[in-house]
Amino acid sequence: MNIYPKLILDALEKVRYPGTGKNIVEMGMIEDDMRIEGNKVSFSILFEKQNDPFMKSLVKAGETAILTYAGENIDIKGNINIKTKPSPLPAPLDLLPGVKNIIAISSGKGGVGKSTVAVNLAVALAKSGYKVGLLDADIFGPSIPKMFHAEEAKPYMERIGERELIAPIEQYGVKILSIGFFINKKDALVWRGTMASNALKQLITDAHWGELDYFLLDLPPGTSDIHLTLVQTLAVTGVVIVTTPQEVALADARKGISMFTGKKINVPVIGLVENMAWFTPAELPENKYYIFGKDGGKQLSEEMHIPLLGQIPIVGNICEGSDSGAPVALNDSVTGEIFRLLAEKMVEQVEIRNKNLSVTKRVVAITKN
Ligand code: ADP
């Protein structure tokens, strides 16, 4: 039997890439490294992404098409190589060159006030004169637009040099982006992990964040692929963990801390925030009621040798501020002051870390010389 490349390519034209209506030949996926020796045929298929979900099934379909349409005696099984394009993402450090510090805000459990802390931290930092960005990476429950009274906002595209970039919304001196600006909640809920991660990557790399002192990421609760993708995509400076003093929340916070400091992710924990630390009724300002237990977060920070950035009480106006889209940190009230101090403590810890890091870098440089 006479086997020649066109015979093989004609057979491969029967294989369609799912969802595109196109076959793998017209999509340019067949590399020109085809070798034919006797009845043995080998070549490579090029995939855009390393985690293409159709990789295996397309190789199998390619084999079947060749055996069916080009000749059943062709030795093709196991001879189709897989090639992938190198990842287009630049190294993490080069992605956001204008951003000085990237801080992820995380919690083990939902509902502990992670987004509330992220929003008020961002506003308090901006009030103190820092350039601040906030990305709502809590893709399955984006709440930042509401908390910033920006639910109706529609970010527009901006031409920066050669590229069209998403312009973040600016509110209360903070640049914000959320997947909530682009899709409705119901759609986000059915997204798979990779779709969510890709959408987030786009909000980071295809947006015009510009110069920032602090870029805060409001992560989804728990531990997921999204956490891994984000810290692999970006050079995260450190993580702030939010917990309540309850034992169940502390157990999950502990897990979160271990994940971030573990080998796979290896990001420093800047500090812990104990939210809902006590309740003080407006009419009895001296009284503190430890509804979820006393000092649970403080003890966890001591146990894990992590700085305690602050203890935040349960106060009605924190909740009202979030609901009405006017974060309490905007005011010079007693509660506003709590968040100002929290931001100050975080900056202090970040600066200590950066200073230690630059000393380490200098030592490494001296050792190299
Ligand atoms: P998470 O992001 O962890 O899911 P949220 O920030 O959405 O949690 O907070 C959950 C609810 O608790 C919201 O209604 C929020 O307004 C409220 N909340 C959070 N922290 C406090 C606090 N310190 N005092 C009063 N209400 C709070």
Side-chain angles (χ1 to χ4, degrees), residues 110-116 147 275-276 312-315 318-319 322:
V112 298
K114 172 184 51 61
S115 298
T116 306
M147 292 187 180
N275 190 30
M276 310 192 188
I312 299 169
I314 301 175
V315 187
I318 294 183
C319 186
S322 295

Side-chain angles (χ1 to χ4, degrees), residues 23-42:
N23 69 60
I24 58 176
V25 179
E26 68 182 310
M27 284 179 74
M29 293 174 71
I30 309 303
E31 291 278 86
D32 50 8
D33 59 354
M34 192 179 292
R35 286 176 71 105
I36 300 172
E37 294 159 75
N39 69 337
K40 181 177 174 186
V41 176
S42 64

